[in-house]
Amino acid sequence: YLYMLRLYKGLKKPGILLIDYMDIFRPIGKITGDPYKDQGTVGENFRALAQEWEMPTVSATQFGRSSVELEIDEINETNLADSWKKMMISDTLIAMASNSEQRANGKIFFKLCKNRNGEKDKIFGMNIIYEQLKIVDPKMEADAQLMKQASQAVIDLKERLKQEREEDVDENLEK
């Protein structure tokens, strides 16, 4: 699609480039045979593409096996698996983690491990619905629930007023 954008005018430029798992891509150009160097090169290739198209680029990567048992506040950039070059070229690194109890309760936590343009080490929790692969802000979910309850109260009130009017009409007809 990006190639087509170069060829044809009028195509809409995407607002974000999502890369499904950068670690499995091959680098553009010479392959060294060293997976750590090659992964770093792939990251550099995507960063150059993002700069060329002036759009954010997002991908997933893994943390090392040792981080599986860590709590979210213990995870940091040193836990990143494979090429450290991925860390060096990224502007932002966000870790996602939950232990078995948190997963059972539909909770997932995010930690801003690296932020080239601001604060880091911020942790925030979200609700997750695994069956729908849906992550929901608990505050927004609570607001949505409150709005749903308020809407239902309005519907109930309208129904009650309608019934009272019908009863008044029936009463007046009987007179």
Side-chain angles (χ1 to χ4, degrees):
Y1 187 82
L2 295 177
Y3 174 73
M4 300 290 279
L5 278 172
R6 285 190 179 130
L7 294 179
Y8 303 104
K9 300 288 183 205
L11 291 177
K12 186 175 180 183
K13 179 182 151 194
I16 189 168
L17 178 62
L18 298 173
I19 300 159
D20 188 8
Y21 204 58
M22 174 179 90
D23 294 358
I24 61 173
F25 278 79
R26 292 175 54 162
I28 295 171
K30 184 180 175 194
I31 297 172
T32 66
D34 179 342
Y36 298 104
K37 286 182 182 177
D38 289 344
Q39 280 182 9
T41 302
V42 167
E44 288 173 341
N45 294 155
F46 281 125
R47 183 175 177 88
L49 186 66
Q51 289 172 336
E52 177 184 346
W53 288 97
E54 298 176 345
M55 73 173 102
T57 305
V58 177
S59 184
T61 191
Q62 291 182 320
F63 282 87
R65 289 187 190 120
S66 62
S67 62
V68 171
E69 298 301 320
L70 297 177
E71 292 296 323
I72 191 71
D73 59 328
E74 299 173 294
I75 294 175
N76 61 47
E77 55 271 24
T78 63
N79 302 111
L80 193 63
D82 299 328
S83 178
W84 183 251
K85 206 169 189 183
K86 294 184 293 187
M87 178 62 193
M88 292 173 57
I89 63 168
S90 69
D91 291 321
T92 305
L93 177 69
I94 301 171
M96 296 172 38
S98 59
N99 60 33
S100 56
E101 181 183 335
Q102 292 162 344
R103 278 189 294 279
N105 291 319
K107 302 291 181 195
I108 190 164
F109 291 88
F110 295 81
K111 181 178 181 183
L112 189 55
C113 294
K114 178 183 178 183
N115 184 4
R116 195 179 305 271
N117 301 312
E119 289 185 66
K120 67 175 243 167
D121 296 326
K122 295 184 85 145
I123 297 172
F124 50 98
M126 300 288 246
N127 294 339
I128 185 165
I129 305 165
Y130 287 100
E131 299 79 14
Q132 299 173 7
L133 296 175
K134 184 177 181 181
I135 297 172
V136 183
D137 183 340
K139 293 174 190 161
M140 291 181 73
E141 193 172 43
D143 290 346
Q145 185 64 28
L146 188 60
M147 290 298 290
K148 186 177 179 181
Q149 291 170 349
S151 295
Q152 187 60 50
V154 169
I155 292 167
D156 293 346
L157 179 60
K158 284 181 179 179
E159 186 61 35
R160 194 177 84 215
L161 290 172
K162 181 180 172 187
Q163 286 175 350
E164 287 176 5
R165 259 187 268 127
E166 288 173 358
E167 289 171 5
D168 287 344
V169 168
D170 290 343
E171 198 176 285
N172 286 335
L173 287 175
E174 289 175 3
K175 291 181 184 179

